[in-house]
Structures are given as structure tokens and as C-alpha cells.
């Protein structure tokens, strides 16, 4: 039906006869000549309808409205001098229409495609097919496609095999987050949609595949945020016979090549490798944004003997922390601004936000302003100034509480201060976070949980700690963090059956439960399992970052809302009683909380 895409036409096509198909972006009637901007996925081209050239075509063009679907035949010619459009890729040429066919009419769309108007996300997602006609929306999907193409190319060239794994599988120990699918042929039993192909890719390594990858759809029934969806896409990778240093180096090469090819941005390798403990100590979280130069500074040792219990008690608590965060030039903050930051950290459980303003450091205590100064001895104040590197005009914020609360609150405050005060450096700062703890203690259930997942291998030198001190055992896990966002998480896997059984027991998974849920894996580990490991990249997050989008919903063709609903199709929805009956399912009505 067409010979060229609209957006591909250039001066190289002058005097050529072309056939174009697309949507009417805009129609303009100027002095007896009609101009139509025709749009397809590659861009716009200006069509000219002159009644002297073809009166029939001119009259058809008069009936055309925005978003009508047209087929147009015509001749490419240069735009008259002075009418060129340098902002348009095709702005040097136009097409003199010789034949117009109306393929389909269109009602007025719920929002204009050719104008950059703010439209609510609910409306945009309800009419997503209209929203995707917008060049910026379509460009994100094109960009996503190019990223996937480049990643596949890199892995294909290095001997990785693209292998599908099952979508209907068995529920995991984290079953509350699984999407369940009832089985008609096995009444009362359920499949689960995979949160990850973790076990299958490990089985592929045991099978001798050696290098595997998959652009895999995963499902997780959890509360949503800007970078979460109930169904999402991972680039899943697994390899055998590679040490983590070799594997991480290979992944660095892949990301470096991706950024160079798609964005034209050089990333410097090797990426920084930062232990988990250092990330928490300096940044308060395990995915630090290195573009922000602010750092947390430990001052708990200085506060153990002060009379100020707000500081002294967490300083003396083994699970407590007292940390300082210096904001250069922050001394100009008003009381209201400080109160706003105090409300902000309260979101993360902080009970307050103490501060010291440095007016003139050389004057000692007299050159400082703070409600807490009266509680701190001179030597402590001087040590805080030295340790934080405080200068005139700065403000120092303090967090004092359980270490987890201090880390989360000051870590979030650090990022907010960086953005609020223009301290975020330009560019990309990737790093690996390594040496994670194997386990974290869950006080509510009085048991250990796997920090990553139960198939992550402990460090060889820490194997004795599985029995002696599980909390001190480190894992062979690694997360790739890019500008404060985790884009990939992986690890070397447990490949010896006794170690896997030992880890299951530590996690409260008894032998019977382990056999029921993971018996196939434990059996497979007995038959010559190679050392192996891998990673899963959140493709949606990666595309979101590389396109500068506000959320992953912008880079998914048909995303769900933050309530896990689809405004376009109305999913989730009710199903017919007959269908439920065939599946042997009865839906219980919700019982009001008050009765």
C-alpha cells in the first residue's frame, strides 16, 4: 500500500513518485491551498493539495480531519525557499499530492495527538492506543526495541542461547506474592505464574547449556511504586564455570557497549565495587546515587557519654546509630525549610531531625546555631566539626535511632537535599554493590530470611558461619546500581546439595517442605552440578532510566496502573459463574471489617 514511510523522505527523494499511508496530524487551509501533515511511526511529512493540480483531490482533502487514515500518492519536491522547517526531519521537502484515498475516518480523539497537553495518566492509559500515536510515546517503545536488539546481539555473539522457560509453574515459598492459575484438569490444584525463572535456569546449567539468556515475562503480586508493575520484563542470564569477577566484567562490557551504541555515552570500566556495609555507612542504603556528593558520617562514638539521651541511647545500643549529614551552604535554610525536611524524614520513621548551623566556625560554639548545642560538650562539638569537614555557611543534620531507621531516613534525605539544592552531577555513575549478608533476622517471625533468595551461595570463606553465626555470613551476591536505581541483581548459586539443604534449614524450610517444593532441584544437584551464577536485569527500569522517563509505565506498551488495574481493558474483571464452576472455584463475598 505504500512505497515509503513519511518520516524517511528527504532531499534524496526529490522528483520521486511516492505512496504514503498514515494518520492526519493536522490540516491547514491557506489561501486556497490545503496542507496536511501526515504522520506514521517514522515521523511527519507535509502534503500539499492544490486545486489547480487536482480539484477532486482538493475537495477530498477539505473533508479530512485529524486522525483520519489516508493513502496518498504524489511527487516529492523541495519546499519553497523560506518555508523550510529545520525542526522537522523532513522539513526540507514536501509532497505534492496527486491522489488521495480515505482509508478510514476517525472520531475526535479524547485528547489531541499533535499538542503537548498535560493529560491525566488514567485517561492516557484508557486510550493508550491514542497515547502511543504521540511521537514521544512511540519513541520510547522504539528505544526499548533498540535496547533489546543490542542486548540480544551482545549475548548471541558470546555464545549465549536464548531459551524459553515455563510460564505455568509451581508456587514458591513466597507464595503470597504469586499469581495463581487454577487447573481445570487437576481440580483443586493451582499453577503459579513465575516471579522469576530462577530454578529453571539453574536446571539448564546442570543440563550443560553453559550460557543461557531470556527476555522473560515475570509476575509479582505486590504493592506498586513508580518502578514496579505486576507483570514485568527481565533480561535473565545464567552462566557456568565463571567466577563472579569474570561474570561481572562480562556484564560491565555489555552495559558499556549498550550505552555507547544506543546513547552514544561512554561508560568507564571497571565499575566501582562497593561492599554492602560501606554503602549503608556512607549512603544509608544499598543502591547509592554516586552523582550526589553528600555522605553520611558516623558520630555514634562521640555521643556515647553525652547527657543528651536522644543521642546517647542509640549510640550505646548495638542496633542503634548516630550519623551526621553535612549540606554545604545549607546554613541559609529557613526554619520552615528545616521543618519541612523534618516532616520528610518522619515518613521513614525518624522521630525528629536535629541540626547545627555553622555560621563562623573559627569562633567555636559561639559561631554555631542549634537547639542541641547546650547538650553537647565543647570537645564533642569540635570533633563533629572536624569529622564532617564543616565550613562556614553549612548545616549539619543528625539522625539518631535504630540503625535501620537512621539509614533509611538520612539516606532518603541525602537524595532529596541533592536534588533540591542542585548537587546532582550530570552523567551516569554505575557501581556494583557486593558482599551482602546472606540473611536478615525477622523479629516478627523469629527466623532468618534470605536477603536475596535461598539459592544464593555464601562466600567460601564464610561457609563455617552458616553454623556458627549466620548473621555474619556474607553472600556471593552482586547488584548493579545506576544513578541510585538497582537495574540488575544476581549471585553465584549454591551448587552443592548439602549446602543448599543447610541453607533451607536455616530459613526454617524443613526437609519435608524442601522436598515438596524443591525436591527436583535437590535431586538435580546430586548429578554433577557445575559452579554457576547469573543475573536478572529489570529491562523496564533500564529503559526508564535511559529514556529519562518518570516511571516504567511510560516505557511499557500497555501497563497497569499503581492499583494493578488496566483502564484500557478493565482487567481484572469478573468471570462467568459457569467458568468458575468448571474450575471447581467458589468466590467468597468480602466480609465488612465491622461485622
Amino acid at each position: 500500500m505504500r512505497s515509503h514511510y513519511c518520516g524517511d523522505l528527504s532531499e534524496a527523494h526529490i522528483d520521486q513518485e511516492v505512496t504514503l499511508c498514515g494518520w492526519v496530524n493536522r490540516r491547514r487551509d491557506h489561501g486556497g491551498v490545503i496542507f496536511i501533515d501526515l504522520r506514521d511511526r517514522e515521523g511527519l511529512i507535509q502534503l500539499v493539495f492544490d486545486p489547480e493540480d487536482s480539484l477532486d483531490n482538493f475537495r477530498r482533502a477539505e473533508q479530512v480531519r485529524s486522525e483520519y487514515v489516508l493513502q496518498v500518492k504524489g511527487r516529492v519536491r523541495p519546499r519553497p525557499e523560506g518555508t523550510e522547517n529545520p525542526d522537522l526531519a523532513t522539513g526540507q521537502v514536501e509532497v505534492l499530492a496527486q491522489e488521495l484515498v480515505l482509508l478510514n475516518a476517525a472520531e475526535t480523539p479524547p485528547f489531541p495527538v499533535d499538542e503537548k497537553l498535560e493529560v491525566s495518566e488514567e485517561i492516557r492509559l484508557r486510550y493508550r492506543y491514542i497515547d502511543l500515536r504521540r511521537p514521544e510515546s512511540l519513541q520510547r517503545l522504539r528505544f526499548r526495541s533498540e535496547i533489546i536488539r543490542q542486548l540480544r546481539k551482545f549475548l548471541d555473539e558470546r555464545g549465549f542461547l536464548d531459551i524459553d522457560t515455563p510460564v505455568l509453574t509451581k508456587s514458591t515459598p513466597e507464595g503470597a506474592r504469586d499469581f495463581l492459575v487454577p487447573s481445570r484438569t487437576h481440580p483443586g490444584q493451582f499453577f503459579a505464574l513465575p516471579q522469576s525463572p530462577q530454578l529453571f535456569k539453574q536446571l539448564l546449567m546442570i543440563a550443560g547449556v553453559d550460557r543461557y539468556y531470556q527476555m522473560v515475562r515475570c509476575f509479582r503480586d505486590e504493592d506498586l511504586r513508580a518502578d514496579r508493575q505486576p507483570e514485568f520484563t527481565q533480561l535473565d542470564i545464567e552462566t557456568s564455570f565463571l567466577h563472579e569477577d569474570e561474570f561481572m566484567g562480562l556484564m560491565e562490557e555489555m552495559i558499556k557497549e549498550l550505552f555507547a551504541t544506543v546513547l552514544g555515552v561512554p561508560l568507564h570500566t571497571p565499575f566501582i565495587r562497593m561492599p554492602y556495609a560501606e554503602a549503608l555507612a556512607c549512603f544509608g542504603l544499598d543502591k547509592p546515587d554516586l552523582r550526589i556528593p553528600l555522605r553520611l558520617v558516623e558520630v555514634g562514638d562521640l555521643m556515647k557519654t553525652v547527657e543528651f539521651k536522644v543521642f546517647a541511647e542509640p549510640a550505646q545500643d548495638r542496633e542503634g546509630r548516630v550519623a551526621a549529614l553535612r549540606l554545604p551552604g545549607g546554613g541559609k535554610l529557613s526554619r520552615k525549610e528545616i521543618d519541612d525536611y523534618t516532616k520528610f524524614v518522619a515518613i521513614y520513621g525518624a522521630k525528629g531531625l536535629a541540626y547545627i548551623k555553622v555560621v563562623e566556625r573559627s569562633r567555636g560554639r559561639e559561631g554555631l546555631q542549634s537547639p542541641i548545642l547546650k547538650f553537647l560538650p565543647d570537645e564533642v562539638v569540635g570533633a563533629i566539626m572536624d569529622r564532617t569537614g564543616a565550613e562556614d555557611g553549612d548545616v549539619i543534620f543528625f539522625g539518631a535511632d535504630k540503625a535501620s531507621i537512621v539509614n533509611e531516613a538520612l539516606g532518603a534525605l541525602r537524595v532529596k537535599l541533592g536534588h533540591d539544592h542542585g548537587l546532582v552531577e550530570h552523567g551516569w555513575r554505575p557501581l556494583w554493590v557486593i558482599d551482602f549478608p546472606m540473611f536478615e533476622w525477622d523479629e516478627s517471625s523469629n527466623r532468618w530470611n534470605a536477603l536475596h533468595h535461598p539459592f544464593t551461595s555464601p562466600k567460601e570463606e564464610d561457609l563455617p558461619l552458616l553454623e556458627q553465626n549466620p548473621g555474619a555470613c556474607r553472600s556471593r551476591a552482586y547488584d548493579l546500581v545506576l544513578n541510585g536505581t538497582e537495574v540488575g541483581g544476581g549471585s553465584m548459586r549454591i551448587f552443592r546439595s548439602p549446602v543448599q539443604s543447610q541453607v533451607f534449614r536455616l530459613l526454617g524450610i524443613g526437609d519435608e517442605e524442601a522436598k515438596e517444593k524443591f525436591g527436583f532441584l535437590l535431586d538435580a544437584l546430586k548429578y554433577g552440578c557445575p559452579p554457576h551464577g547469573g543475573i536478572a536485569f529489570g529491562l523496564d527500569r533500564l529503559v526508564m532510566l535511559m529514556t529519562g522517563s518518570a516511571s516504567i509505565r511510560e516505557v511499557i506498551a500497555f501497563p497497569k496502573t499503581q492499583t494493578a488495574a488496566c483502564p484500557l481493558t478493565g482487567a481484572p474483571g469478573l468471570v462467568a459463574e459457569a467458568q468458575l464452576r468448571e474450575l471447581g472455584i467458589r468466590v467468597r463475598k468480602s466480609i465488612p471489617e465491622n461485622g
Side-chain angles (χ1 to χ4, degrees):
M1 293 182 71
R2 65 180 164 207
S3 62
H4 297 77
Y5 280 106
C6 297
D8 287 345
L9 297 180
S10 67
E11 291 173 292
H13 298 95
I14 288 175
D15 291 329
Q16 290 187 23
E17 300 292 326
V18 296
T19 303
L20 308 173
C21 293
W23 288 261
V24 174
N25 195 66
R26 183 175 295 183
R27 184 183 74 92
R28 307 183 303 281
D29 197 335
H30 288 176
V33 177
I34 293 176
F35 296 92
I36 290 178
D37 293 333
L38 193 66
R39 182 189 71 245
D40 60 23
R41 75 171 202 186
E42 299 300 324
L44 298 172
I45 187 66
Q46 178 173 280
L47 308 177
V48 182
F49 293 84
D50 190 333
E52 294 185 1
D53 187 72
S54 173
L55 185 58
D56 287 343
N57 282 326
F58 182 83
R59 286 173 175 168
R60 291 192 193 99
E62 286 183 312
Q63 307 305 313
V64 164
R65 298 293 181 267
S66 292
E67 302 310 312
Y68 278 29
V69 188
L70 307 182
Q71 180 190 53
V72 177
K73 295 181 181 180
R75 180 175 56 82
V76 181
R77 71 182 188 183
R79 288 200 185 193
E81 187 175 351
T83 67
E84 299 92 343
N85 185 352
D87 297 327
L88 200 63
T90 61
Q92 301 299 313
V93 296
E94 60 188 16
V95 173
L96 179 62
Q98 297 167 340
E99 184 178 336
L100 184 153
V101 178
L102 173 61
L103 297 175
N104 211 344
E107 295 183 6
T108 302
F111 49 87
V113 175
D114 64 332
E115 298 178 20
K116 293 186 177 181
L117 295 178
E118 288 294 326
V119 182
S120 73
E121 185 177 69
E122 177 76 16
I123 296 297
R124 288 175 51 221
L125 295 186
R126 184 180 304 169
Y127 299 96
R128 183 62 165 165
Y129 46 87
I130 300 294
D131 187 47
L132 289 177
R133 292 182 189 176
R134 291 175 150 187
E136 60 272 19
S137 297
L138 185 58
Q139 180 60 21
R140 293 188 190 105
L141 296 189
R142 292 170 61 93
F143 201 92
R144 179 188 178 106
S145 179
E146 177 63 13
I147 288 173
I148 291 174
R149 191 179 74 83
Q150 292 298 332
L151 292 170
R152 286 187 182 277
K153 178 174 179 289
F154 179 93
L155 295 168
D156 289 341
E157 290 174 350
R158 285 156 182 81
F160 284 82
L161 303 182
D162 182 359
I163 300 176
D164 293 331
T165 53
V167 173
L168 295 176
T169 183
K170 194 171 186 179
S171 185
T172 66
E174 300 85 8
R177 297 174 184 173
D178 283 341
F179 282 101
L180 299 178
V181 180
S183 171
R184 181 183 59 81
T185 54
H186 299 274
Q189 299 185 49
F190 294 81
F191 296 104
L193 302 182
Q195 297 184 36
S196 161
Q198 180 64 44
L199 297 181
F200 291 106
K201 64 182 181 181
Q202 290 191 239
L203 293 173
L204 288 172
M205 295 303 102
I206 298 172
V209 167
D210 194 73
R211 292 192 171 198
Y212 141 97
Y213 83 94
Q214 182 183 185
M215 295 291 176
V216 59
R217 204 71 168 166
C218 299
F219 306 85
R220 194 172 177 87
D221 189 7
E222 63 181 352
D223 295 334
L224 303 182
R225 298 196 298 269
D227 59 348
R228 296 285 176 91
Q229 282 278 290
E231 52 178 316
F232 53 94
T233 305
Q234 286 184 182
L235 169 57
D236 223 57
I237 302 172
E238 198 81 3
T239 61
S240 298
F241 304 113
L242 283 182
H243 188 272
E244 56 255 52
D245 288 336
E246 297 175 290
F247 180 71
M248 290 161 69
L250 182 63
M251 294 299 96
E252 288 180 11
E253 184 184 350
M254 180 179 75
I255 297 299
K256 180 180 179 179
E257 186 172 304
L258 175 68
F259 271 69
T261 303
V262 176
L263 290 181
V265 172
L267 296 180
H268 301 291
T269 52
F271 296 167
I272 293 171
R273 299 189 182 187
M274 181 180 296
Y276 172 83
E278 180 183 340
L280 290 189
C282 296
F283 305 99
L285 70 173
D286 59 5
K287 40 183 179 291
D289 189 343
L290 297 186
R291 299 172 302 163
I292 301 171
L294 307 179
R295 299 289 186 274
L296 275 61
V297 177
E298 182 63 44
V299 294
D301 58 311
L302 304 176
M303 302 296 186
K304 287 184 177 180
T305 59
V306 301
E307 295 181 4
F308 193 33
K309 290 185 177 181
V310 172
F311 283 175
E313 289 182 354
Q316 295 166 12
D317 187 346
R318 290 182 59 185
E319 297 182 0
R321 185 182 187 191
V322 185
L325 176 62
R326 178 176 70 92
L327 175 63
K332 63 181 181 293
L333 290 175
S334 68
R335 181 67 210 187
K336 181 184 183 305
E337 288 173 311
I338 291 178
D339 288 344
D340 288 342
Y341 286 129
T342 303
K343 293 176 183 176
F344 174 78
V345 297
I347 298 171
Y348 301 92
K351 300 180 182 69
L353 185 63
Y355 68 92
I356 295 176
K357 286 187 176 183
V358 184
V359 180
E360 191 175 348
R361 181 176 173 181
S362 61
R363 295 176 56 205
R365 180 186 295 271
E366 299 303 317
L368 308 176
Q369 294 178 359
S370 171
I372 67 170
L373 281 174
K374 58 188 176 185
F375 302 111
L376 305 178
D378 287 346
E379 61 272 19
V380 171
V381 173
I384 291 172
M385 296 296 110
D386 291 339
R387 191 172 292 186
T388 59
E391 298 178 357
D392 292 353
D394 295 349
V395 66
I396 304 168
F397 292 109
F398 296 89
D401 209 312
K402 293 291 185 184
S404 58
I405 293 176
V406 172
N407 289 339
E408 193 169 0
L410 287 191
L413 179 63
R414 170 185 170 271
V415 174
K416 183 168 178 58
L417 290 172
H419 285 276
D420 287 353
H421 297 275
L423 300 176
V424 183
E425 299 169 0
H426 179 72
W428 301 92
R429 298 290 300 277
L431 81 151
W432 292 102
V433 178
I434 58 173
D435 292 347
F436 286 88
M438 273 284 290
F439 310 104
E440 57 184 351
W441 183 254
D442 185 345
E443 292 185 0
S444 61
S445 59
N446 199 36
R447 61 188 285 263
W448 292 107
N449 287 331
L451 192 66
H452 278 75
H453 56 62
F455 316 107
T456 299
S457 173
K459 285 183 172 290
E460 289 292 327
E461 61 269 31
D462 287 0
L463 276 173
L465 295 176
L466 289 177
E467 291 287 350
Q468 302 165 8
N469 186 5
C473 185
R474 295 167 300 164
S475 70
R476 296 173 69 185
Y478 35 80
D479 285 356
L480 183 60
V481 178
L482 186 60
N483 290 3
T485 298
E486 178 199 328
V487 294
S491 68
M492 293 293 109
R493 322 301 188 188
I494 296 170
F495 66 99
R496 298 186 182 98
S497 185
V499 177
Q500 186 65 78
S501 296
Q502 187 178 10
V503 168
F504 280 157
R505 287 193 294 271
L506 265 172
L507 297 174
I509 302 174
D511 291 344
E512 286 301 316
E513 183 182 0
K515 183 177 180 181
E516 178 189 350
K517 293 184 177 296
F518 307 111
F520 61 94
L521 174 67
L522 293 173
D523 286 344
L525 291 175
K526 300 174 185 177
Y527 293 100
C529 177
H532 63 284
I535 194 169
F537 288 97
L539 184 71
D540 308 308
R541 286 191 196 177
L542 186 60
V543 179
M544 176 186 74
L545 287 175
M546 294 180 72
T547 58
S549 302
S551 81
I552 62 172
R553 293 188 295 279
E554 297 292 347
V555 300
I556 298 172
F558 300 103
K560 304 294 188 291
T561 65
Q562 285 193 329
T563 61
C566 176
L568 175 65
T569 63
L574 300 174
V575 298
E577 182 65 30
Q579 189 175 357
L580 292 176
R581 195 160 45 245
E582 186 177 18
L583 293 169
I585 294 175
R586 178 180 298 165
V587 177
R588 297 179 60 185
K589 293 183 178 180
S590 298
I591 301 174
E593 292 184 5
N594 58 5

